[in-house]
Amino acid sequence: PPPGEQPGFWRAAAELAVWNFGAQGMLNAGLLFTDATRASFLTQTSVVLTPVVSALAGERPTPAVWVGCALALVGVVVLSVSDSGAAMASHAAAGGLNLGDLLCLGGSLSWSMYIFRVGRIARRGLAAGPLQAWKNVFLTLLYGVWLLVDVARVGPGQVYTLWAGWSNAVAWLLLAASAVFPGTLADYLQNRGQKSVNASEANVILSAEPLWAALLSSIFLSEVLSIKAWIGGCFIIAAAVISSGILPFHKLTKLAE
């Protein structure tokens, strides 16, 4: 049947939009109340939250997946950590969780739910392309509501103050390009890939995003990869290899015992 007539198609598209909106929206809102360094660390907890969500839903992540998730978390923390030891010490000394921290954690949990549900929905055989397209339509509607709330807050005559560069054509082109390629294409490929990859393993693979950013910056912006980038990258690669099941992890575990 046509995608729109597949059982559960519209509900699945709307659900994915809600989880995606929660992940991005709560992170953006959280940055109003906490600093970017804390937000960066807190959002990486998704790597650990995803297997927890999977386990609560009745799935049984393997020991290799748990080890991979832990290594991936270490890797993204190493990649994201500030070069300033003093700055990190001050953040650590601050202690406690503020409203922004809780929002960032909520966004991380929402992202874990999104990854988990993408896998479940993908295995139901719903058409990946139309599903992601309509998810983005619903997501646009949700952000439209957010925009209306902001317009009501600042007043219709002051809407332009929400984005100083709204009249820049180049900025709009860059936004469109990022929506089509890193956005839509990535969504489609993730949906197809998670038909055969469980949510926890998928999140480990997706945690390589900072590593790819560092490598692309080195290629296109001539930035030099730091020791920190190499170390974090090695942790993430090791995490992906272990969680994928390529290595006979269960045999290594028995030997260790």
Side-chain angles (χ1 to χ4, degrees):
E5 296 179 8
Q6 291 179 303
F9 177 87
W10 298 109
R11 183 171 58 187
E15 180 191 349
L16 292 180
V18 170
W19 292 123
N20 202 331
F21 177 78
Q24 298 172 357
M26 282 193 277
L27 173 59
N28 288 332
L31 287 170
L32 296 174
F33 305 99
T34 192
D35 57 77
T37 302
R38 290 172 71 95
S40 176
F41 283 116
L42 293 170
T43 53
Q44 305 307 334
T45 58
S46 173
V47 179
V48 176
L49 290 175
T50 301
V52 173
V53 169
S54 299
L56 291 175
E59 296 185 2
R60 297 184 62 183
T62 64
V65 168
W66 285 107
V67 172
C69 290
L71 288 176
L73 180 62
V74 172
V76 293
V77 167
V78 171
L79 281 168
S80 305
V81 71
S82 169
D83 289 325
S84 170
M88 286 306 304
S90 66
H91 287 304
L97 294 175
N98 56 41
L99 175 60
D101 297 335
L102 294 176
L103 287 170
C104 290
L105 284 173
S108 180
L109 177 59
S110 188
W111 178 243
S112 292
M113 284 298 302
Y114 176 79
I115 292 177
F116 173 72
R117 291 300 295 158
V118 164
R120 283 284 180 93
I121 292 169
R123 288 189 286 274
R124 282 162 48 187
L126 299 179
L131 179 66
Q132 289 300 323
W134 279 104
K135 181 216 74 174
N136 288 333
V137 170
F138 287 126
L139 190 58
T140 301
L141 293 176
L142 290 172
Y143 277 116
V145 173
W146 188 327
L147 175 61
L148 291 176
V149 171
D150 276 343
V151 170
R153 180 174 59 85
V154 302
Q158 300 295 317
V159 175
Y160 66 90
T161 62
L162 297 173
W163 180 25
W166 70 271
S167 60
N168 189 326
V170 175
W172 283 102
L173 287 173
L174 292 173
L175 282 174
S178 65
V180 171
F181 297 106
T184 303
L185 180 59
D187 282 346
Y188 174 77
L189 294 175
Q190 180 182 349
N191 189 287
R192 293 297 298 270
Q194 283 198 239
K195 284 186 177 181
S196 55
V197 176
N198 65 57
S200 301
E201 185 182 343
N203 207 355
V204 170
I205 296 171
L206 292 172
S207 69
E209 181 181 347
L211 173 61
W212 287 111
L215 291 174
L216 290 173
S217 297
S218 175
I219 295 171
F220 294 105
L221 302 178
S222 300
E223 294 183 0
V224 179
L225 290 177
S226 64
I227 297 297
K228 177 185 68 176
W230 285 108
I231 295 174
C234 288
F235 271 107
I236 292 174
I237 292 172
V241 171
I242 290 174
S243 63
S244 68
I246 295 175
L247 298 178
F249 187 80
H250 62 285
K251 295 181 179 179
L252 296 178
T253 303
K254 290 182 179 179
L255 288 176
E257 293 173 352

